[in-house]
Amino acid sequence: MARLTSVRQIWTFILGYGGSLLALGIAPAVAMRMLHDHPHASTAHAISGVLVGTLGVVPVVLLLLWMYRRSDEYERHGMLLVTGIAFALALVVMTALDYLAFTDLLPAWVWLPRWVTVTICWVISLIAVRVARGRHL
Amino acid sequence: MKNRLRVLRAERAWSQQELGDRLGVSRQAINAVETGKFDPSLPLAMKLARIFNQTVEQIFSLEDDA
């Protein structure tokens, strides 16, 4: 039985995660361009912009659903931990960056694309779960 | 929680992968249970008991039990 940690599933995950990051990186920029470049755009055009931006998160949601369906209870336990920690970290970091940018306290060199922030948070959470498991928590 | 999984598996000369395949879980899951890093769910513990023809209590016990 091919579980989540089999080689084929790992490649599917890598491709899925790559696609998700691409969508997360491109969709908001495209949506903002659609909405920003046409401040008096029609309602249909505005709705299209909102849809493009929102649909950018669909691949990562589909990836998580796929991981949940493929995983056994041990993998699911780890996956939920990693996802939970990554989500919490990403939320804190992105909120802080947004507020800092809004108050002009954020130097330009600190700014990171969101997909980089999300990936860094995933890596940190993977390490955190690894360390926690090493201590039998 | 401690368990006799490694001993029972060795008696049957099954690899972790083989036992995982029989139970429908990953090799990593079997390894994590054997090393005490992960406590299996009740359904998985019962499947293990059935596959080894033992009771759950014969395979798993609390650390502070004698």
Side-chain angles (χ1 to χ4, degrees):
Chain A
M1 179 176 286
R3 304 304 324 190
L4 199 60
T5 40
S6 67
V7 174
R8 192 176 150 208
Q9 309 297 327
I10 288 171
W11 275 111
T12 309
F13 169 78
I14 290 170
L15 290 174
Y17 192 55
S20 301
L21 290 180
L22 207 63
L24 279 174
I26 291 173
V30 172
M32 288 310 287
R33 206 175 308 129
M34 286 173 77
L35 296 172
H36 237 264
D37 291 352
H38 305 281
H40 304 295
S42 64
T43 308
H45 192 84
I47 289 174
S48 304
V50 172
L51 275 178
V52 168
T54 309
L55 289 176
V57 298
V58 169
V60 76
V61 172
L62 289 177
L63 179 69
L64 289 174
L65 287 174
W66 171 81
M67 287 170 73
Y68 190 83
R69 279 183 60 84
R70 295 299 313 180
S71 56
D72 64 23
E73 59 186 72
Y74 172 66
E75 293 165 335
R76 198 165 293 169
H77 179 69
M79 188 189 83
L80 290 176
L81 273 175
V82 169
T83 308
I85 295 172
F87 182 70
L89 276 176
L91 201 62
V92 169
V93 172
M94 287 193 293
T95 306
L97 290 179
D98 283 347
Y99 276 112
L100 285 170
F102 184 74
T103 52
D104 291 329
L105 288 170
L106 184 72
W109 59 269
V110 177
W111 190 86
L112 289 172
R114 294 221 150 167
W115 69 268
V116 176
T117 311
V118 172
T119 304
I120 290 172
C121 291
W122 265 85
V123 172
I124 292 171
S125 59
L126 272 168
I127 293 168
V129 170
R130 191 85 183 167
V131 170
R133 281 196 166 155
R135 290 176 184 168
H136 293 243
L137 288 174
Chain B
M1 190 97 94
K2 55 186 178 181
N3 65 77
R4 297 175 49 239
L5 211 55
R6 192 180 293 272
V7 175
L8 291 167
R9 189 171 56 77
E11 282 172 1
R12 287 155 183 80
W14 289 345
S15 65
Q16 289 181 341
Q17 183 68 59
E18 198 174 348
L19 179 57
D21 289 344
R22 284 168 187 263
L23 292 163
V25 298
S26 61
R27 182 193 64 75
Q28 287 81 357
I30 299 298
N31 183 58
V33 174
E34 277 189 7
T35 52
K37 287 181 182 172
F38 174 68
D39 293 334
S41 66
L42 192 53
L44 182 55
M46 293 181 81
K47 279 186 194 172
L48 279 163
R50 185 184 296 170
I51 218 163
F52 288 121
N53 208 20
Q54 308 254 325
T55 63
V56 172
E57 291 86 351
Q58 284 173 317
I59 302 177
F60 295 96
S61 57
L62 292 170
E63 290 281 1
D64 46 358
D65 283 357

